[in-house]
Amino acid sequence: MNLRDKIFIRKVVAAHSRRNFLKGAGAVLAGSSALTMPWQARAEAHGRERKFLFFWAGGGWDTCAVLDPHYESGDVDMEPLTQLSTAGGLKFTGGEVRLQTERFMARWAPYTSIVNGINVHSVGHDSATKFVLTGTSASSYSDWPTLLASNGRYEYPLPHVVFSGPSFPGTNGAAVVRAGGGTLLDLIDGSIIGQADRAAPLPPPPADSQIDAFVRRRISDYAAKQTGLGRSRADALLSNMERSMELEGRRFEAGLDDLGNNVLDQAVKATELFRLGLSRTAMIRIPGGFDTHGSQLPQGVMQDNFFGVLDQVFDHLSRTPGQTSEFLIDEVVVVATGEFGRTPRLNGGGGKDHWPYGSMLVAGAGVNGNRMLGKTDAGLIAEPIDFATGQPSGTGEMLAIENVGTALLELGNLDASRFLPGIQVFNGLLRNPR
Amino acid sequence: MRMKILTVLLLASCTPESEEADDAAAFELLSPRQQLIRLSVDLRGIHPSEVELQAIEQAPALYDKFADEWLEQPAFIERTKELFNYRFLSRTGDTYFDIAQRDLSNVGDAKMGEFIANEPLALLEYIIDNDLPYSYIVTAPHSMANPQLAQMWDMYYPEDSRGWQPVIYKDGRPHSGMLTMTTMWERYPSMGGNANRHRANAISKMFLCDDYLSRPVVLNRAAVDQLTIDPENAISVNASCQSCHSTLDPIASNFFGFFNYDDQLGIERTMYRPEMEEEWRYYSGKEPGYYGRPTSNIIEFGEQLAKDQRFMDCAVKTVFEGLTQREITDNDWSEVQPHANRFAETGQNIRELMRSIVKSDEYKAATVNNVDRAQEIATVKLVSPAQLESIIEDKTGYKWTFNGRDGLTTNDMGLPTLMGGIDSRSIVEPSYTPSVGGLFIQERLAMSAGFYVASTDLALDREGPARLLKFVTIEDTPEASPDAFDAQIRDLYLQLTGIPLPVDATEPNELMQLWKYQYSIEADPTRAWSSVVSAVLRDPNIIFY
């Protein structure tokens, strides 16, 4: 990297603004055609900011199937052919029907924390989803990935990409991009206008860019005349205009022609978006229905398959060069959870019903790995813990989802008290708490 | 919590004069032209004509007359249905059953899903059309159906009729508007130990704007143990549980005639079963009621619900928030109270409520003078997907359809949700902040519509007058006809955005350069004009209003 590039990166970091960035880029580019492209420089700057990959187990996964084993208890029905396994400091449900889980834990335990006994406040699917992802039940609150994406130090063209799964944009809708169904890609590459009943040709790229620049200026002039909330909305339009221009320019580089059809492809694509500085957070739904009232049998299979995917994702993260770290694994945080847990005992139909204590897997950059955090007793009910260590404590407090969520915000270098004032952060999850 | 405070405030009998004086200076208003654009987009989904805009510039007092006229037009009802769907969330597109069970395969799932979703919204339309009180939505002695829906849900459809008509179900159920619609209880199902509680909360959310699940609940260890061993007993005796269930469960008990979740029955399980009405005895054990008053049937329940002050406040909240694109806060009582009063005085007339809101200063505001409130009140509003579609179609004649289905009013392609709209299922609240997906939608729609305009208006065999490109022909170039180009581009802005360019505007020259550049690549004046029109269609004055 030459000196001019370094100066440019410093300017980008100082600007904290996409618009200032564009102006700066224009000025620099005018002086040299051989200079690093602006997004390359920005991508380097972005590497200093942690990215987050969320996996969602819709329906409510059974915490005992992997993350919270209770073989010691006669009050918890554990799956036959499974056994208590350990890897580093982690204890989990393993055995001959959990080979993929065993492999993941054996390889990635140092990066991984398991958080058990999280009170999610509800056993209704919709409300628990809202609680787990936002820490509240209020409609105006954004979910954790949206907050992280919209409050980062830098701006991203696709701040939070929802490949699949739930999303609560709250008041930060501009930061959320829904990638489902492939329509977004068709919009980015313009192919959608050829799919319409009255199709039209695309303008050639140079003319297209000229139109974009013209429209951008019109929006900028419009925004300058607005005040208050109107100004905020107009600024969001301007920011997204710039994001759309960047996406059109980088769609080949980012491989945006295909966002993947399965959870592994989508996860790898998400990490690519992170690496290129295009996105900060992503949400992917874990395949399968975890709402196993009728039969508990699919739980173990689905979770073991997921850990197989997770193993490959971490393999990819560990081999892919990062921006400021040697590898992506030191820049990305992976979070896997569902809306709640399931009852300790099987019901009359051989399934398990909803349970208000959930478990979460958090792994990757900045995570206090190799640890079991939080605890449930032999009846699968949470015990009080010391928030600093995450370990059971008679003088501790009950762990709730908002405590864990605010810890995720802190992992993303956000001051959690700005978003959920008065909530105690679960520092036990953080390798280096404030 | 906010709604509760609002309710208290709405009940306050008067507004201090000093507050009214403050309000008078609270806003700087849009120009008459911009006011009329906002009003037209909200009530009709299209921009006003230039004739209408010139009229209001001459006489700003015409605003009220335009509002009165447009409130009588069918488009206003469609807009109202859109706003109330944000509350009812019936437009899921689901058919809930295989439509072949009712020999409706020829209709198709997509169309049938629309018909099903429209059952409650058609009743809303009936109420507005007939100037009935909004309370009729939960007291009507009938439902609404077209022939296909009547066949699907097994209703008597009047002979020799067409379209949407008042109907009753064949299964002998009591009728109480939305409270007895099969569509609603398929949209909000309940099974097993839930015992209609999901439905009770849906009623609370839809008609009282009160979500039980948003109430903070603290359960101690003993309560959790109790819930584990015997949930129904714990709900009945634990104080934390009772804080919600003491009122929720009696509401739920009204609906056991609809409590049938035997999937083996297929579509027959939608039948109302009088013999199930007493099933509450086996679940919550709570007698049917409404907030402490016993109810003997759903009709009585609907009457109690309609008399609740919160019922009226919730309707006001729904319309106010929809039109102002913001959430009501505790600071809003002075703005909202006059509208609530008007709604009450006119016998819960939705049209009058809308009239009151669109004639208020806040609605017409360009700037909020109070700095503290400037970030709460939306002086710039974002068009909904449906509004963008109708604006573009009205201006250009181009309709964005895919396989014969609207791109922006159906969720077949996922476009409305990408633009910030809802799907009534997983995305239930609209976003009023522009998204990158919305930007791409406007861009691609503008390209398509721009090409359509250029290729039809410049066609040598065109029949009739040009729609937009009236000042140029396919032979003209910027070099040979600069004045025609200048006039054409200025007219495009006027026709498409409603806002004229200033005399010294640089846009005509910039777009002429764009035209030349495009022409230099393909030597095709149609493509060059297509680009110019699309650039204007992407103006912020189209996506904002």
Side-chain angles (χ1 to χ4, degrees), chain A residues 55-76:
Chain A
F55 290 99
W56 184 254
W61 62 5
D62 180 12
T63 54
C64 300
V66 171
L67 300 179
D68 195 6
H70 276 283
Y71 292 94
E72 84 291 356
S73 171
D75 294 327
V76 178

Side-chain angles (χ1 to χ4, degrees), chain B residues 12-51:
Chain B
S13 59
C14 63
T15 304
E17 284 182 11
S18 60
E19 293 287 351
E20 287 180 348
D22 287 348
D23 283 351
F27 309 108
E28 286 174 26
L29 304 185
L30 293 166
S31 71
R33 181 175 275 264
Q34 290 168 317
Q35 285 181 30
L36 199 66
I37 292 171
R38 180 173 290 180
L39 180 72
S40 180
V41 171
D42 258 334
L43 299 186
R44 304 192 300 174
I46 57 174
H47 281 194
S49 68
E50 182 54 24
V51 172

Side-chain angles (χ1 to χ4, degrees), chain A residues 17-36:
Chain A
S17 151
R18 179 80 184 104
R19 278 177 302 292
N20 290 339
F21 163 74
L22 279 182
K23 289 173 191 166
V28 173
L29 286 172
S32 168
S33 59
L35 187 62
T36 306

Side-chain angles (χ1 to χ4, degrees), chain A residues 119 121-122 124 126-127 130-131 137-140 157-159 165-181 183-184 186-204 206-208 210-212 214-215 217-222 225-238 240-245 247-248 251 344 355-357 377 379 381-383, chain B residues 2 198 205 211 213-217 219-221 224-225 228 324-327 366-368 374-382 397-405 412-415 417-418 421 426-427 429-437 439-445 447-449 451-452 493 497 499 501 506-507 510-511 513-515 517-518 521-522 527 530-532 534-536 538-541 543-545:
Chain A
N119 184 350
H121 304 301
S122 174
D126 294 345
S127 54
K130 178 80 177 154
F131 269 118
S137 58
S139 60
S140 57
L158 298 168
S167 169
F168 297 96
T171 54
N172 294 295
V176 180
V177 181
R178 299 175 199 282
T183 306
L184 177 64
D186 296 343
L187 285 164
I188 293 173
D189 70 15
S191 63
I192 197 165
I193 70 173
Q195 299 167 24
D197 293 338
R198 280 181 187 163
L202 275 171
D208 192 19
Q210 275 203 350
I211 298 171
D212 284 346
F214 173 82
V215 172
R217 191 181 63 71
R218 285 283 297 179
I219 296 172
S220 179
D221 291 348
Y222 179 92
K225 293 173 188 161
Q226 308 306 319
T227 59
L229 182 55
R231 176 61 184 260
S232 300
R233 289 183 179 177
D235 280 345
L237 183 69
L238 184 59
N240 280 313
M241 179 71 217
E242 292 161 355
R243 287 169 177 161
S244 72
M245 291 165 71
L247 282 170
E248 283 187 79
R251 63 192 166 92
W355 190 247
Y357 296 107
D377 65 14
I381 294 171
E383 295 183 7
Chain B
R2 283 174 174 167
H198 183 209
K205 284 199 292 186
D211 184 356
L213 291 171
S214 69
R215 299 180 183 182
V217 177
L219 294 177
N220 57 24
R221 168 68 189 262
V224 173
D225 285 345
T228 310
T324 59
Q325 294 193 351
R326 68 184 183 87
E327 192 175 1
T367 307
V368 180
Q375 279 297 337
E376 295 174 0
I377 295 175
T379 50
V380 164
K381 302 206 294 173
L382 182 70
Y398 183 81
K399 193 170 178 66
W400 216 22
T401 61
F402 300 85
N403 299 316
R405 303 259 302 157
D412 300 5
M413 305 276 290
L415 294 172
T417 52
L418 271 168
S426 57
I427 303 159
E429 288 179 22
S431 171
Y432 299 122
T433 307
S435 66
V436 71
L439 253 296
F440 276 118
I441 286 171
Q442 188 188 12
E443 178 179 357
R444 301 314 180 194
L445 175 56
M447 283 178 175
S448 302
F451 180 76
Y452 176 76
Y493 270 99
T497 71
I499 310 292
L501 290 174
T506 58
E507 282 82 356
E510 288 177 66
L511 289 179
Q513 297 305 317
L514 174 68
W515 192 99
Y517 185 69
Q518 173 79 54
I521 298 171
E522 298 181 313
R527 296 290 297 276
S530 167
S531 293
V532 171
S534 77
V536 182
R538 292 173 63 188
D539 202 74
N541 285 305
I543 202 157
F544 286 137
Y545 69 103

Side-chain angles (χ1 to χ4, degrees), chain B residues 317-337:
Chain B
K317 180 180 167 74
T318 302
V319 175
F320 184 85
E321 290 187 346
L323 285 176
T324 59
Q325 294 193 351
R326 68 184 183 87
E327 192 175 1
I328 292 180
T329 72
D330 300 345
N331 298 323
D332 291 321
W333 64 278
S334 59
E335 279 88 5
V336 177
Q337 185 176 319

Side-chain angles (χ1 to χ4, degrees), chain B residues 201-424:
Chain B
N201 192 42
I203 288 168
S204 184
K205 284 199 292 186
M206 285 189 291
F207 300 117
L208 304 177
C209 294
D210 182 11
D211 184 356
Y212 276 85
L213 291 171
S214 69
R215 299 180 183 182
V217 177
V218 178
L219 294 177
N220 57 24
R221 168 68 189 262
V224 173
D225 285 345
Q226 210 174 1
L227 277 166
T228 310
I229 298 161
D230 185 351
E232 281 297 344
N233 183 53
I235 286 168
S236 297
V237 300
N238 182 278
S240 290
C241 300
Q242 274 293 293
S243 65
C244 293
H245 283 275
S246 62
T247 52
L248 184 73
D249 290 358
I251 295 174
S253 294
N254 286 282
F255 296 93
F256 273 90
F258 292 103
F259 195 63
N260 189 337
Y261 52 89
D262 183 355
D263 282 338
Q264 302 295 322
L265 292 172
I267 201 168
E268 295 299 324
R269 76 171 161 84
T270 62
M271 280 183 62
Y272 185 83
R273 289 175 166 74
E275 69 275 16
M276 296 284 288
E277 288 175 354
E278 299 281 314
E279 284 288 298
W280 54 266
R281 295 178 188 280
Y282 301 100
Y283 289 93
S284 67
K286 301 283 175 54
E287 291 187 24
Y290 184 80
Y291 289 94
R293 293 183 193 164
T295 51
S296 56
N297 53 50
I298 295 180
I299 293 172
E300 216 173 287
F301 174 84
E303 288 167 355
Q304 297 275 4
L305 174 62
K307 286 178 191 166
D308 192 327
Q309 176 68 36
R310 295 173 300 166
F311 175 84
M312 209 163 66
D313 292 345
C314 185
V316 174
K317 180 180 167 74
T318 302
V319 175
F320 184 85
E321 290 187 346
L323 285 176
T324 59
Q325 294 193 351
R326 68 184 183 87
E327 192 175 1
I328 292 180
T329 72
D330 300 345
N331 298 323
D332 291 321
W333 64 278
S334 59
E335 279 88 5
V336 177
Q337 185 176 319
H339 311 313
N341 289 345
R342 183 66 185 154
F343 190 49
E345 290 161 7
T346 57
Q348 297 188 16
N349 187 302
I350 294 283
R351 199 189 310 269
E352 293 305 320
L353 174 60
M354 297 274 266
R355 196 187 317 271
S356 176
I357 294 170
V358 300
K359 289 184 179 180
S360 69
D361 279 355
E362 179 186 331
Y363 180 80
K364 302 173 189 170
T367 307
V368 180
N369 291 329
N370 181 331
V371 176
D372 294 336
R373 302 222 61 203
Q375 279 297 337
E376 295 174 0
I377 295 175
T379 50
V380 164
K381 302 206 294 173
L382 182 70
V383 294
S384 70
Q387 286 170 328
L388 179 63
E389 181 173 276
S390 53
I391 288 169
I392 298 294
E393 184 183 7
D394 177 65
K395 293 294 183 189
T396 67
Y398 183 81
K399 193 170 178 66
W400 216 22
T401 61
F402 300 85
N403 299 316
R405 303 259 302 157
D406 286 358
L408 290 174
T409 59
T410 68
N411 252 316
D412 300 5
M413 305 276 290
L415 294 172
T417 52
L418 271 168
M419 203 184 145
I422 67 171
D423 64 8
S424 300

Side-chain angles (χ1 to χ4, degrees), chain B residues 29-243:
Chain B
L29 304 185
L30 293 166
S31 71
R33 181 175 275 264
Q34 290 168 317
Q35 285 181 30
L36 199 66
I37 292 171
R38 180 173 290 180
L39 180 72
S40 180
V41 171
D42 258 334
L43 299 186
R44 304 192 300 174
I46 57 174
H47 281 194
S49 68
E50 182 54 24
V51 172
E52 291 166 332
L53 289 167
Q54 287 182 8
I56 200 164
E57 280 193 322
Q58 297 293 318
L62 283 175
Y63 179 92
D64 286 359
K65 285 189 165 40
F66 276 115
D68 295 341
E69 182 186 327
W70 293 344
L71 281 163
E72 299 298 327
Q73 294 184 359
F76 150 73
I77 294 180
E78 284 308 310
R79 172 68 169 147
T80 311
K81 289 162 76 173
E82 183 182 26
L83 297 185
F84 272 88
N85 184 58
Y86 294 153
R87 187 71 61 196
F88 301 158
L89 302 174
S90 67
R91 286 178 170 165
T92 61
D94 292 343
T95 60
Y96 303 106
F97 298 94
D98 182 355
I99 59 176
Q101 291 186 55
R102 296 288 198 214
D103 296 327
L104 286 162
S105 301
N106 59 321
V107 179
D109 284 336
K111 205 70 196 165
M112 202 63 230
E114 287 177 21
F115 293 155
I116 289 170
N118 200 44
E119 187 180 3
L121 299 171
L123 181 58
L124 184 73
E125 180 171 356
Y126 183 82
I127 288 169
I128 297 170
D129 264 347
N130 293 282
D131 280 330
L132 294 168
Y134 174 67
S135 56
Y136 196 74
I137 202 95
V138 294
T139 60
H142 60 84
S143 185
M144 298 293 295
N146 64 0
Q148 293 86 353
L149 185 65
Q151 187 174 334
M152 181 77 182
W153 289 157
D154 205 20
M155 303 150 152
Y156 293 110
Y157 185 80
E159 287 183 13
D160 302 325
S161 296
R162 46 192 302 206
W164 289 84
Q165 299 291 337
V167 296
I168 59 171
Y169 284 83
K170 291 179 181 174
D171 58 13
R173 70 181 64 183
H175 283 81
S176 196
M178 279 176 63
L179 301 177
T180 49
M181 287 181 180
T182 292
T183 293
M184 297 318 297
W185 302 139
E186 289 303 315
R187 169 65 185 84
Y188 297 103
S190 179
M191 61 188 292
N194 182 260
N196 275 332
R197 289 172 178 125
H198 183 209
R199 290 168 173 172
N201 192 42
I203 288 168
S204 184
K205 284 199 292 186
M206 285 189 291
F207 300 117
L208 304 177
C209 294
D210 182 11
D211 184 356
Y212 276 85
L213 291 171
S214 69
R215 299 180 183 182
V217 177
V218 178
L219 294 177
N220 57 24
R221 168 68 189 262
V224 173
D225 285 345
Q226 210 174 1
L227 277 166
T228 310
I229 298 161
D230 185 351
E232 281 297 344
N233 183 53
I235 286 168
S236 297
V237 300
N238 182 278
S240 290
C241 300
Q242 274 293 293
S243 65

